[in-house]
Amino acid sequence: MSRYHDLKYRAVTTLQRHIVNPITRHVPLHTLLETTGRTSGLPRRTPVGGRRVGDSFWLVSEYGEKSQYIRNIRANPRVRVRIGRRWHTGTAYVLPDDDPIARMRKLPRLNSTAVRLVGTNLLTVRVDLED
């Protein structure tokens, strides 16, 4: 990762971790991805943007393998997704062969624009929902 991308990553993730995510976790209709912490075993909730398509929920991670929720999915793919006011259980799949730019054209525009602006290593995730 270049020095610029490293600085950008640290600045954006610090802002997200300490300001943006704590606020958006409490917005009732904001979509949340709940993973299990790979070390702690505790639930970890991350605000995400994405879209349900049939029995799947699609999203694009802005930092790919560096994202904590991607690391948690790699350790345990069982997740929950809050869409609107309802929680759905499912299994998450990291899709490195999917084209994240093309995928974002099918996802909510505002979030996709933000992901493209701040992201440095885009990675597609599909969650197959069970309910």
Side-chain angles (χ1 to χ4, degrees), residues 33 35 38 46 59-76 93-95 121 123-125:
L33 175 67
T35 60
R38 64 195 175 283
T46 305
L59 67 118
V60 173
S61 168
E62 56 210 357
Y63 295 112
E65 298 292 341
K66 288 186 81 172
S67 294
Q68 296 302 316
Y69 68 88
I70 295 293
R71 293 175 181 184
N72 290 342
I73 289 169
R74 292 271 193 214
N76 180 357
Y93 298 92
V94 178
L95 305 171
N121 189 21
L123 183 60
T124 303
V125 176

Side-chain angles (χ1 to χ4, degrees), residues 49-51 58-65 67 69-70 93-109 111-117 119-126:
R51 174 169 284 145
W58 292 84
L59 67 118
V60 173
S61 168
E62 56 210 357
Y63 295 112
E65 298 292 341
S67 294
Y69 68 88
I70 295 293
Y93 298 92
V94 178
L95 305 171
D97 294 331
D98 191 70
D99 180 350
I101 301 295
R103 179 67 53 195
M104 285 191 297
R105 290 186 194 111
K106 300 175 184 176
L107 300 178
R109 184 175 296 162
N111 181 261
S112 294
T113 300
V115 168
R116 285 186 77 169
L117 286 174
T120 57
N121 189 21
L122 306 179
L123 183 60
T124 303
V125 176
R126 184 188 77 232

Side-chain angles (χ1 to χ4, degrees), residues 9-26:
Y9 168 79
R10 289 188 305 162
V12 171
T13 56
T14 298
L15 178 70
Q16 288 173 329
R17 185 175 299 125
H18 298 291
I19 297 171
V20 177
N21 289 357
I23 292 169
T24 55
R25 272 190 207 104
H26 298 290

